Amino acid sequence: MAPPRPYWKGYLKLSLVSCPIALYTATSPSERVAFRQINKKTGNRLRQQLIDEESGEPIDPDDKGRGYEVEKGVYLRVEDEELEAIAIESSHTIDIDCFVPKAEIDERYIDSPYYLVPENKVALEAFSVIRDAMRDKSMVALGRVVLSKREHVVMLQPRGKGLLGTTLRYPYEIRDESIYFGDIGEIQIPKDMLALAEHILDSKAAPFDPSKFHDRYEEAVVTMLNEKKAGMPVAKQRPMPRIVAGTDLMAALRQSIDKAKEEAPKTAAKQTPPAAAATAAAKSTPAPKGKRAAKGASDQREMLLPIAGGAPAKEAVEKQATQKPGARKKAG
């Protein structure tokens, strides 16, 4: 599958070594369910208009301009050509300024990720030299690039055959943490209480696996839309989880450990492949004499209506796949 059109094209430069590159956005929100504004009475889609704040009259899109507010209600008009005329080197070149250890990058500064690739075969050698030099040193590069008429600091690091570029925020965009953390008091935590908390952390330790990330809200929205499309009634209110506030922290920690022990066998059962579980159940539970097993019952699936922009909910299918043959009630 061919990649989409590049978001930016220019040059990657390290001292006197340079090569043409293409930059692509590494994330996309297009898979999310999207809603349109509609007229509740007619069901027709609504269109927004540009309204002059003083006259209240709609204006033509061609009359829309850009202005900088110098005082309340007074704007300094700026033309696109004037902004484009501000030529700085980073408009068409990512010039690497320095290399720093990645561990020193404050996570608050990380913004948006991009993929960088050589634009053609001629650029491959120079691109590979810059990429492999960073990989051997375990360092990341810092440079500058102009995207959407703004200059950004960009962090470059090797990723596979290419480079991952991540724009970084400027210091003036970061809020001072002391404003929020300054009033948090310091207390002495009992060792046994801390030991229990650390035990819970150890029991929940796992490798980073983003494939296990599930957007439960998105899945619930898709399920709701499927039900509406099929003509099923949709609940107007959803049950809220019951949260009981308690003051006995030690008891809560011990209950958390007991709960983790109870959930461990369930988690192990969920990880058993559905096919293996079905085979084992079939061997251990022979079919009653004189009766045939319902043909195709184990392969039956719930039909879900497709919704554009979202992945179909799979919970019903997974439940049927892991259901034991002996779990059904006998007829009559």
Side-chain angles (χ1 to χ4, degrees), residues 137-209:
K137 292 291 185 181
S138 299
M139 305 280 275
V140 296
L142 297 183
R144 296 177 182 272
V145 63
V146 173
L147 301 172
S148 302
K149 303 184 187 302
R150 297 296 299 266
E151 185 181 51
H152 301 267
V153 177
V154 61
M155 175 180 68
L156 304 176
Q157 58 184 317
R159 187 172 184 87
K161 296 181 180 179
L163 289 173
L164 177 65
T166 307
T167 54
L168 302 180
R169 298 182 177 93
Y170 287 103
Y172 66 80
E173 298 178 279
I174 306 299
R175 292 178 175 175
D176 184 2
E177 64 184 45
S178 63
I179 298 175
Y180 308 94
F181 301 158
D183 293 335
I184 299 177
E186 295 185 6
I187 61 174
Q188 189 69 29
I189 304 295
K191 291 183 178 181
D192 53 348
M193 186 179 294
L194 187 60
L196 285 173
E198 290 174 348
H199 178 77
I200 296 173
L201 265 63
D202 292 338
S203 67
K204 291 183 173 292
F208 177 73
D209 184 4

Side-chain angles (χ1 to χ4, degrees), residues 36-46:
R36 305 292 187 186
Q37 290 184 329
I38 64 171
N39 185 335
K40 288 184 177 181
K41 294 181 179 179
T42 64
N44 299 328
R45 183 178 173 181
L46 298 176

Side-chain angles (χ1 to χ4, degrees), residues 251-267:
L253 289 170
R254 291 194 178 96
Q255 289 173 7
S256 297
I257 294 176
D258 294 339
K259 184 179 179 182
K261 291 179 180 179
E262 293 174 0
E263 292 178 349
K266 298 179 182 179
T267 304

Side-chain angles (χ1 to χ4, degrees), residues 212-223 313 315:
K212 294 183 179 179
F213 295 174
H214 295 289
D215 190 340
R216 294 181 295 177
Y217 179 79
E218 180 81 1
E219 292 172 355
V221 170
V222 171
T223 301
E315 294 182 4

Side-chain angles (χ1 to χ4, degrees), residues 81-114:
E81 294 78 7
E82 294 176 301
L83 294 175
E84 293 171 0
I86 303 175
I88 55 178
E89 189 178 2
S90 57
S91 297
H92 304 286
T93 303
I94 300 178
D95 196 348
I96 297 177
D97 296 327
C98 62
F99 295 90
V100 300
K102 184 181 178 182
E104 293 184 4
I105 302 294
D106 190 329
E107 295 178 351
R108 296 174 300 169
Y109 287 80
I110 294 175
D111 193 5
S112 303
Y114 296 88

Side-chain angles (χ1 to χ4, degrees), residues 22-23 25 116 129 133-134 144 198 203 226 256 262 275 306-307 318:
L23 182 145
T25 54
L116 279 72
V129 167
M134 282 191 286
R144 296 177 182 272
E198 290 174 348
S203 67
N226 279 321
S256 297
E262 293 174 0
I307 297 295
E318 292 175 354

